[in-house]
Amino acid sequence: MSEKVGVYICHCGTNIAGVVDVEAVAKWAGKELENVVISRDYKFMCSSLGQEMIEGDITKEGLTRVVVAACSPHLHEKTFRRACANAGLNPYLCQMASIREQVSWVVEDKEAATEKAKAMIAAAVNRVQLHEELEPTVVPVNPNTIVVGAGIAGIQASLELADAGHVVYLVEREPSIGGHMAQFDKTFPTLDCAACILTPKMSDVGAHPNINLLSYSEVEEISGYVGNFTARIKKKTRYVNEEACTGCGICIEKCPKRVLDDVFEAGLGMRKAIYRPFPQAVPNIPVIDRENCIYYKTGKCKACQLFCPTEAIAFEQEDTYIDINVGNVILATGFDLFDCKTIPQYGYGRLANVFTSLEFERMCNATGPTEGKIVLRDGVTEPKSVVIVHCVGSRDQRFNPYCSSICCMAALKFGHLVMERTDAEVYSCYIDMRTPSKGYEEFYNRLLEEGMHFIRGKVAEVTDAPRFPGEESKLIVQVEDTLIGKQRRIPVDMVVLMAALQPRYDARDVGLKFGISCSMEGWFTERHPKLDPVATMTEGIFIAGVAQGPKDIPAAVGQGAAAAARVQGMITAGEVLIEPIVATIHEEKCSGCRICNTLCPFNAIEFLEDKEVSYINAALCKGCGTCVAACPAQAITGAHYSNEQIFAEIEGILFDVTSGGDLKALRAEQERVPA
């Protein structure tokens, strides 16, 4: 019995209809394409009226296949599958032709675009007639969740889930949670105390009965699939018994060894060999820096152990491993700062009074190395003039082509703090001032009124070589002021470099571990940048915060909550439907060569030793087809992507140049090839 195919072509406003003659294509499809019994065009096919049109035709005309020519399947394939299902048709008997992205957006010639649209619709009609009814796999969802990274985004995600009654494992590689926000003094544009905002949330995490806090820990490996992941976590030794420690701090007080703190204090301050990163640390348990501890170097000292009132110091302690089962994963691993030494002409690391933005944050902080006093490297002298350099490593094709999002506002904040605490003149050298969020433009105007000097131009050089009177013992900032069209040399006491936000150094390795991809720059890639910014292409793995791309604190908090909401929705449903378009290995043809095992990007294929054949876990498979193409024995097939379907699609797309005879001969030859 021949199929009854319905073809539906969307105008997409003028997105498609502005280039493609949609009405003519609809008439052509209904008249020329085999087994097409109805062909319609509509202004917005994805609207409720468009969907009702499809549902009605399936019911009235008895359609057995549906083709929708519209935008990308990434946007609306689920929409039209749902419409088919509502009318009683298996949703996988629907095929989309992307005539917006692949035709109207890339072809300017209207006649050529119309012909290309016809070809793509013919291909879809040919293909859909060979589709088979498929059913998604139902997988139960473990209600526990692992959140990796305990900056503000990870903290927010954890609290949202925990407050909803779900168990959360919060994994943080540093000794304390808090992330970069714990290092900040004020937050723009309201100038709220960062610690005042963050510390209550940190305390809530530490005391929450539903949050298992695994600080100073890392995820070693993870396996499984959405709803059922198994993670192995390496809990690094603190050399302190966490159960016995009360956080009194006597061990830190008595430790005789002081070392430079190049992590939390950004190299501006000192800490002991046994330390907690900052006073409000959660958990409030110190850790021994083995590389700098006198005992581990000489076998002597043990002052911390001698003075500890609860005998919590455990020099013999070793790393431990924990295996946990969870249903979903949220990655909120944060960012690294650009290394300003990479731009030598700015003098960082060579000229004493050139500071990075993070160093300046710690200097401004009341708990920082200078107790909030803004001074030069000598720790005493107050600057009389300061230049803040924007976009250091950002918007630069040599380093990072993107905008780091937060630098302009942080520079305005720094300018305010300098003028509030000193009598210094402050200059801001910027490329473009970007103040896009709520209250940001108002903050910029406030700094204008406060007297901050703005110079539109990219700084060429920071030097200490004087050329004119008054430049002696100064840092000279060479910059072109594009607003007045002149080169300027500005002698100042201090320069602050607004370093770019970069992906974590190991972001790509983490991505591989969790089965997700990264952008060219190294940020974790979302499923869709506009419609699904917290999900990834791997079901059950979500991303939040700056790990996904540069953003400020409110955006990171919002994304953390959004990721938690997506996870909670899956937990509430109790089960998840897994896409049935996956690969299958036919055991009778499998030679056990294991080529597919090594190529699968999702680690979905395992080798069955007892049968000496490979097996595909359908819950992990994403239907990418890598294994299908690589199998030398042709033992693997991909649902919805059989040879017959592909050849039928090719025949359709070449409707105007071939009768299909040559392709049919090729298909026959393909079928004769021995397995």
Side-chain angles (χ1 to χ4, degrees), residues 455-501:
I455 300 171
R456 187 179 185 274
K458 189 174 179 65
V459 171
E461 182 183 24
V462 178
T463 179
D464 61 349
R467 286 170 50 190
F468 301 105
E471 293 183 350
E472 298 83 1
S473 303
K474 296 282 187 178
L475 295 173
I476 299 95
V477 178
Q478 181 79 37
V479 58
E480 179 187 8
D481 191 332
T482 61
L483 294 179
I484 61 174
K486 291 185 178 180
Q487 288 283 340
R488 296 183 63 177
R489 285 173 63 86
I490 307 172
V492 294
D493 298 321
M494 176 187 288
V495 172
V496 181
L497 304 178
M498 303 306 299
L501 306 188

Side-chain angles (χ1 to χ4, degrees), residues 165-242:
H166 307 302
V167 173
V168 176
Y169 295 92
L170 179 56
V171 181
E172 168 58 46
R173 63 170 44 159
E174 297 298 330
S176 171
I177 65 175
H180 285 292
M181 188 176 172
Q183 297 173 286
F184 299 164
D185 178 43
K186 306 279 187 186
T187 60
F188 56 77
T190 55
L191 298 175
D192 292 301
C193 168
C196 299
I197 300 170
L198 180 65
T199 303
K201 286 185 175 290
M202 292 172 58
S203 299
D204 289 345
V205 166
H208 207 296
N210 289 332
I211 296 179
N212 296 288
L213 178 55
L214 300 170
S215 62
Y216 209 44
S217 304
E218 294 188 46
V219 177
E220 283 281 292
E221 58 185 63
I222 188 164
S223 59
Y225 47 88
V226 57
N228 184 24
F229 292 103
T230 299
R232 166 155 283 204
I233 298 168
K234 177 183 177 182
K235 191 168 176 57
K236 296 180 286 188
T237 177
R238 293 174 178 265
Y239 303 105
V240 175
N241 187 326
E242 296 184 34

Side-chain angles (χ1 to χ4, degrees), residues 90-103:
N90 186 284
Y92 295 93
L93 301 181
C94 172
Q95 175 71 10
M96 286 193 71
S98 177
I99 64 170
R100 186 180 72 173
E101 283 81 354
Q102 296 183 18
V103 180

Side-chain angles (χ1 to χ4, degrees), residues 350-391:
R350 177 171 53 86
L351 302 176
N353 292 310
V354 177
F355 295 82
T356 68
S357 48
L358 186 59
E359 287 177 335
F360 195 78
E361 283 280 7
R362 292 309 303 151
M363 187 189 300
C364 293
N365 198 300
T367 63
T370 65
E371 297 180 344
K373 297 175 183 176
I374 297 174
V375 292
L376 302 182
R377 291 279 182 188
D378 61 13
V380 177
T381 308
E382 190 175 277
K384 299 299 181 184
S385 51
V386 178
V387 162
I388 302 173
V389 181
H390 294 230
C391 299

